Amino acid sequence: MLLLWRSRCLGRALGRSLRALRQVLPAAGTGRGEGVNSSSVFTVRYFRTTAVHRDDVVTVNTPAFAESVTEGDVRWEKAVGDTVAEDEVVCEIETDKTSVQVPAPAAGVIEALLVPDGGKVEGGTPLFKLRKTGAAPAKAKPAAAPPPPAAPEPVAAPAPPPAAAPIPTTMPPVPSVSAQPIDSKPVSAVKPAAAPAAAPPGEAVPSKGARSEHRVKMNRMRQRIAQRLKEAQNTCAMLTTFNEIDMSNIQEMRALHKDPFLKKHNLKLGFMSAFVKAAAFALQDQPVVNAVIDDTTKEIVYRDYVDISVAVATPRGLVVPVVRNVENMNYADIERVISELGEKARKNELAIEDMDGGTFTISNGGVFGSLFGTPIINPPQSAILGMHVALFLGGQPFHRYMPNTGARTSPQRLSLNHSSLTVGPTQGDSWGGPGL
């Protein structure tokens, strides 16, 4: 708007100048020396642009949260006076489900932080003030390379070494031993070494065997995870079923196709895609495990689609991004989506939409060495599958007879923790049969 107003003012001024010139030039061309009419006198206005529009201060507000999130805690990445580039992260807002990054809308300098570190904010709360500077500061140019050293002057050839001395033929004389006794000092005359300098009074010296401790504030994600797990224990009548499955067929398939699979899709063929697809088949065969209870209407909602949440461990806590419509995916699609979600989780770029929903959860505790476990249900889901480490003996797979297949192999241990409010005992026990 400011540039448009200036353009209009400049156009009007030029128009008045041209009209005045048309009145003055004909009178000057007659040569009658008549004075110039006072109405023809005009003034010239000078215009210059300023940098005000580039140095204005803007206030950045908290972005809008999802419907299920009301507030979050601020963790600052920048301080007052720091120079930031456009889209550079200034702070992170930790919510119950994920962390929201707040970037700088333009290049500039942080003028003020309106919320303290760790303060609570809601959607639309002012966060910080940014003074725009137009462009990011240019990086310092590297120092000029030093001039090449001058060519060394030619050095005269060294003189030839002197001739070697003749080799001696007789042994050197042995030094005589003194007959006088060696001087000795009494023990009392020996002075102890000086003690080390004492530490300054402001510093604490850790003593041996000290019992120290330090406190770290829990982030919102860990607090919410603990709250939801406790709610699940209190509200779900959980029942756990353990099983062992024969992995020989899937191991042979992976050994046969992993190289062509990597060459074709640029993805590694793992075991997780096989378990996710097998779980989708089992959920379609036993739809009650894929169902959920609606507390408002007291009805059981049967889903005709399969959205499987895959648990991923991050430094901030355990997150469960969702792989949607698994029933329509093949192994390559599943591996690609899991890889993308895992990369976003490691970079702390998961959005709330990536973790919303889910009809079933798979937790692979075997990668951390878990031998057995009972994972807790993620409400409002009805069941969760736990994958545990296979049997090993002396560092080698422990093969034994599998009664359901008749093969000797190293079995994979699984645990299905389900809610008895939705899934009956016989349905939970038979869930792993058709798919796994």
Side-chain angles (χ1 to χ4, degrees):
M1 293 299 293
L2 182 60
L3 295 177
L4 181 60
W5 175 78
R6 290 176 176 172
S7 301
R8 291 178 179 175
C9 292
L10 184 60
R12 288 196 296 268
L14 290 176
R16 288 195 295 269
S17 301
L18 292 176
R19 286 196 299 271
L21 285 174
R22 292 193 191 99
Q23 297 176 3
V24 174
L25 290 178
T30 58
R32 286 181 284 182
E34 299 178 358
V36 179
N37 189 5
S38 60
S39 62
S40 302
V41 178
F42 62 92
T43 58
V44 179
R45 297 181 180 180
Y46 296 92
F47 296 91
R48 63 186 180 89
T49 59
T50 62
V52 176
H53 67 285
R54 291 187 288 110
D55 292 339
D56 54 351
V57 178
V58 296
T59 301
V60 180
N61 298 330
T62 304
F65 298 139
E67 296 181 358
S68 58
V69 178
T70 58
E71 61 181 11
D73 296 338
V74 179
R75 183 171 60 85
W76 292 106
E77 300 286 346
K78 302 294 181 180
V80 176
D82 289 351
T83 302
V84 294
E86 186 176 0
D87 293 333
E88 186 176 356
V89 177
V90 179
C91 68
E92 287 187 359
I93 302 176
E94 296 180 349
T95 65
D96 297 344
K97 296 185 177 181
T98 185
S99 295
V100 181
Q101 296 181 345
V102 181
V109 180
I110 304 296
E111 284 284 314
L113 303 180
L114 306 179
V115 179
D117 189 45
K120 296 181 180 180
V121 294
E122 298 179 353
T125 302
L127 285 174
F128 62 93
K129 291 184 178 181
L130 176 71
R131 179 176 294 278
K132 298 181 181 179
T133 57
K139 294 183 178 179
K141 296 182 179 180
E153 297 181 357
V155 182
I167 301 175
T169 57
T170 61
M171 295 292 293
V174 179
S176 60
V177 180
S178 177
Q180 297 179 358
I182 301 175
D183 295 339
S184 60
K185 294 182 180 181
V187 177
S188 59
V190 179
K191 297 181 179 180
E203 297 182 4
V205 180
S207 60
K208 187 176 180 180
R211 295 165 54 84
S212 60
E213 63 180 21
H214 64 281
R215 296 173 180 263
V216 179
K217 183 180 179 181
M218 290 181 61
N219 57 44
R220 281 182 167 268
M221 185 179 296
R222 289 189 180 273
Q223 295 179 21
R224 183 57 177 166
I225 291 173
Q227 180 183 355
R228 287 179 61 85
L229 293 180
K230 187 57 181 176
E231 290 177 354
Q233 287 183 327
N234 295 337
T235 58
C236 297
M238 290 184 291
L239 178 63
T240 305
T241 300
F242 298 97
N243 206 341
E244 294 179 347
I245 61 173
D246 185 0
M247 292 286 292
S248 57
N249 291 335
I250 193 65
Q251 289 174 349
E252 294 176 1
M253 185 274 294
R254 182 175 179 270
L256 181 63
H257 297 286
K258 64 178 182 180
D259 293 335
F261 188 89
L262 177 62
K263 184 177 180 180
K264 181 177 180 180
H265 302 286
N266 197 22
L267 293 168
K268 292 184 179 181
L269 179 60
F271 292 111
M272 180 59 72
S273 57
F275 276 95
V276 171
K277 192 61 180 179
F281 282 125
L283 292 172
Q284 289 177 316
D285 186 81
Q286 299 285 337
V288 68
V289 185
N290 199 42
V292 63
I293 296 179
D294 188 350
D295 293 330
T296 57
T297 60
K298 303 303 179 182
E299 296 175 343
I300 299 179
V301 181
Y302 291 88
R303 277 88 170 254
D304 299 328
Y305 54 89
V306 178
D307 293 347
I308 296 182
S309 303
V310 180
V312 178
T314 66
R316 297 179 180 273
L318 189 68
V319 295
V320 280
V322 182
V323 182
R324 306 186 188 279
N325 296 322
V326 182
E327 74 278 6
N328 299 326
M329 289 185 174
N330 54 27
Y331 281 13
D333 297 334
I334 297 173
E335 290 288 354
R336 183 177 296 106
V337 174
I338 292 177
S339 177
E340 293 174 355
L341 292 175
E343 186 68 20
K344 293 175 68 176
R346 284 186 291 270
K347 293 182 178 180
N348 195 26
E349 296 177 354
L350 281 176
I352 296 178
E353 293 77 12
D354 296 329
M355 298 179 288
D356 191 19
T359 61
F360 187 77
T361 300
I362 296 179
S363 177
N364 188 5
V367 297
F368 302 105
S370 172
L371 185 62
F372 266 128
T374 57
I376 301 178
I377 298 173
N378 184 21
Q381 299 176 10
S382 297
I384 180 173
L385 176 67
M387 298 171 54
H388 307 286
V389 68
L391 294 177
F392 283 82
L393 184 62
Q396 298 295 326
F398 177 71
H399 293 84
R400 63 180 178 81
Y401 177 74
M402 298 294 294
N404 52 349
T405 61
R408 293 188 62 84
T409 183
S410 177
Q412 174 71 47
R413 292 179 171 181
L414 301 177
S415 62
L416 178 69
N417 199 6
H418 57 88
S419 173
S420 299
L421 302 177
T422 308
V423 184
T426 57
Q427 294 168 324
D429 292 340
S430 61
W431 176 83
L436 304 177

